[in-house]
Amino acid sequence: IASSTYVHMYKCNACHTYCIHVIFFQNRKMVARFKCGTQVMYMCVNGSLLFVGLNIGVVIIMDLKNKLCVGKTTCHKKKAISCMCVDGNQRLYTAAFDHRVTCWNIQETSSEKYKITLHPFHQLTDFNGVVLCMKAHQNHLFIGNGDKSLKVFDSNSWEVLH
């Protein structure tokens, strides 16, 4: 298993076959399988949406309720996603091996191909190493860096708080 996350009554596993298996807890049976086409680096969830960061800098968005791919965005050109998180304001934060963190607005669209799109909102570039972990809480974004530092940002003003 390359990556794993829990969603309500389901466990989502990514494996070496470039697929995500969605498993129902109670009977441990696979209820859905999504093909990603490349290595899954990170997964996070917001409601019934599963955000999947790939090793090519792309984020795909899966609707677990309807078992459909509802979005796909190149977030970091040719750089693997290192981590992601979602806040309560319909924002996705992505980090990659390009030493950048990007904030994306999650928006519904009327497109026939994809129902969810990501629009860049803000980018942070002042990191000496790869961002290894992030957590969005209220109006704060906590970022753990590969140089063993922790930065805290106000996600409204983008001021560094710590």
Side-chain angles (χ1 to χ4, degrees), residues 14-26:
C15 62
H16 66 282
T17 60
Y18 306 146
C19 292
I20 296 171
H21 300 133
V22 181
I23 300 162
F24 187 59
F25 274 150
Q26 289 181 333

Side-chain angles (χ1 to χ4, degrees), residues 10-68:
Y10 300 97
K11 181 178 181 181
C12 301
N13 292 328
C15 62
H16 66 282
T17 60
Y18 306 146
C19 292
I20 296 171
H21 300 133
V22 181
I23 300 162
F24 187 59
F25 274 150
Q26 289 181 333
N27 61 12
R28 296 185 182 155
K29 295 201 181 212
M30 185 170 58
V31 295
R33 183 174 184 252
F34 299 111
K35 292 183 180 181
C36 298
T38 189
Q39 185 177 2
V40 173
M41 300 297 289
Y42 204 89
M43 294 186 289
C44 68
V45 68
N46 185 29
S48 66
L49 296 178
L50 177 67
F51 295 86
V52 181
L54 303 176
N55 69 338
I56 56 173
V58 170
V59 171
I60 54 177
I61 306 164
M62 305 294 188
D63 180 342
L64 295 174
K65 183 178 178 183
N66 297 310
K67 300 176 180 72
L68 295 170

Side-chain angles (χ1 to χ4, degrees), residues 89-158:
N89 296 320
Q90 291 297 90
R91 290 181 183 168
L92 172 73
Y93 300 90
T94 61
F97 287 85
D98 59 4
H99 303 210
R100 296 171 189 236
V101 172
T102 305
C103 174
W104 303 86
N105 283 326
I106 304 167
Q107 297 178 339
E108 291 187 28
T109 180
S110 59
S111 166
E112 289 183 25
K113 186 170 184 178
Y114 294 124
K115 302 294 182 211
I116 305 289
T117 59
L118 300 175
H119 297 280
F121 178 72
H122 191 79
Q123 190 169 74
L124 301 168
T125 59
D126 190 25
F127 299 100
N128 295 325
V130 175
V131 172
L132 299 174
C133 58
M134 288 189 293
K135 174 70 175 170
H137 180 69
Q138 295 175 352
N139 65 331
H140 296 100
L141 180 63
F142 300 84
I143 299 175
N145 200 357
D147 67 359
K148 299 180 183 176
S149 67
L150 172 69
K151 291 186 179 182
V152 182
F153 293 87
D154 180 308
S155 59
N156 293 320
S157 67
W158 300 107

Side-chain angles (χ1 to χ4, degrees), residues 65-81:
K65 183 178 178 183
N66 297 310
K67 300 176 180 72
L68 295 170
C69 177
V70 294
K72 182 178 180 179
T73 302
T74 299
C75 294
H76 299 266
K77 292 187 181 197
K78 299 182 182 178
K79 296 291 183 178
I81 301 291

